[in-house]
Amino acid sequence: MAGKKIRVTIWNEYRHEKEEEPSGESYPEGIHGCIRNFLSECDDLEIRTATLDEPDCGIPDEVLDNTDVLMWWGHVAHNKVPDDRVEYIRNRVYNGGMGFIACHSAHHSKPFRALVGTTGNLSWGDNCHEIIWNLKPSHPIAAGIPDHVDLGLEEMYGEPFYIPQPDDLIFGCWYDSGHIFRGGCTFTRGLGKIFYFQPGHEECRSFYNPYVQQILKNGVHWVAPNDFGYKNPCEAPYVKPVV
Ligand code: ZN
């Protein structure tokens, strides 16, 4: 991607902020607006936003074809996302190398389930005090992050978390309810890289936390596609020996 900007599309369901008081108070520009604002501090990113109620959910083919990294926030309307958009996303990740970041409740989103291949089910509970532990400081997504981040109030997501074995478990979440959670982990699917990150409940203010912002900035750069040496991964051409 040298010299080229990473094209990021931030997708948000955008229902809570319009319909519920606390979410609107926390994120007056929508969660997508908040994420856009801090990602804009990176001058190598070209950012657009998309929301569920736009035509084609804001992600018609031409938008996805021109997206290097898709960030996804959804919660109460996962099933409103049409299956053809999910399949297009899955194909873009597997065969086009598009990166995918699943924020918070996107563990239950159709695209995340289609990409990782499991239900994404987990245990959940009321908001409580969360500490994020940095389990893999050598990973690029953990760059600049201390050994733990005291997040304050966040919705409790706990184990068991029905995901396939992650490639890397970067962050572990602890809650004062006693639960723990694999809250920051990566997967590779086809040519694409995927990052799931737990914080981001609509009533809380985690997207204003500077370490959460840094982790998501790191995540965008890490899941961005490499400049692949091959361009037609769906083809299976006959080839002659190379030596
Ligand atoms: Zn939530």
Side-chain angles (χ1 to χ4, degrees):
M1 298 298 294
K4 279 200 291 186
K5 291 204 174 195
I6 300 170
R7 300 165 300 176
V8 182
T9 299
I10 304 163
W11 189 90
N12 181 16
E13 187 178 277
Y14 199 29
R15 289 280 169 91
H16 292 285
E17 302 95 314
K18 288 190 283 192
E19 294 167 6
E20 292 175 20
E21 283 269 310
S23 328
E25 280 171 20
S26 292
Y27 298 107
E29 294 179 75
I31 285 172
H32 55 296
C34 177
I35 295 174
R36 179 194 61 219
N37 288 345
F38 69 77
L39 287 184
S40 299
E41 294 163 11
C42 304
D43 55 17
D44 61 344
L45 304 183
E46 187 180 298
I47 302 165
R48 76 168 94 204
T49 61
T51 55
L52 178 63
D53 292 330
E54 295 170 43
D56 290 321
C57 303
I59 44 171
D61 294 359
E62 55 270 32
V63 167
L64 292 171
D65 287 341
N66 290 288
T67 294
D68 298 312
V69 175
L70 179 61
M71 291 186 73
W72 198 272
W73 196 102
H75 198 191
V76 292
H78 295 312
N79 287 336
K80 303 279 190 233
V81 178
D83 288 339
D84 79 306
R85 294 301 80 208
V86 179
E87 176 53 23
Y88 208 88
I89 290 167
R90 195 200 64 79
N91 187 53
R92 281 282 296 134
V93 172
Y94 270 72
N95 298 313
M98 183 176 77
F100 187 83
I101 297 182
C103 296
H104 188 57
S105 299
H107 69 93
H108 254 172
S109 67
K110 283 185 178 181
F112 183 74
R113 290 179 184 215
L115 287 167
V116 301
T118 63
T119 61
N121 287 343
L122 46 69
S123 308
W124 65 279
D126 294 335
N127 296 350
C128 59
H129 192 162
E130 174 172 348
I131 293 175
I132 299 172
W133 286 94
N134 184 349
L135 305 179
K136 191 157 192 190
S138 61
H139 196 284
I141 292 179
I145 305 304
D147 61 2
H148 72 278
V149 174
D150 190 332
L151 198 57
L153 270 192
E154 182 49 84
E155 188 172 37
M156 195 288 286
Y157 279 7
E159 299 288 340
F161 185 18
Y162 291 97
I163 47 171
Q165 177 68 30
D167 293 349
D168 277 308
L169 176 57
I170 307 171
F171 300 109
C173 303
W174 172 92
Y175 308 85
D176 66 0
S177 61
H179 297 90
I180 61 169
F181 185 61
R182 290 170 290 169
C185 47
T186 65
F187 307 87
T188 307
R189 290 294 183 272
L191 296 176
K193 287 171 279 184
I194 299 157
F195 176 47
Y196 171 77
F197 192 43
Q198 185 270 344
H201 187 52
E202 68 276 3
E203 296 171 353
C204 303
R205 295 179 56 83
S206 295
F207 288 122
Y208 294 104
N209 182 293
Y211 292 121
V212 168
Q213 295 182 357
Q214 186 62 51
I215 289 166
L216 289 171
K217 288 174 184 172
N218 293 345
V220 165
H221 289 88
W222 186 80
V223 302
N226 297 340
D227 199 0
F228 306 116
Y230 52 106
K231 300 297 178 198
N232 295 301
C234 297
E235 295 177 1
Y238 169 76
V239 290
K240 295 182 174 143
V242 294
V243 290

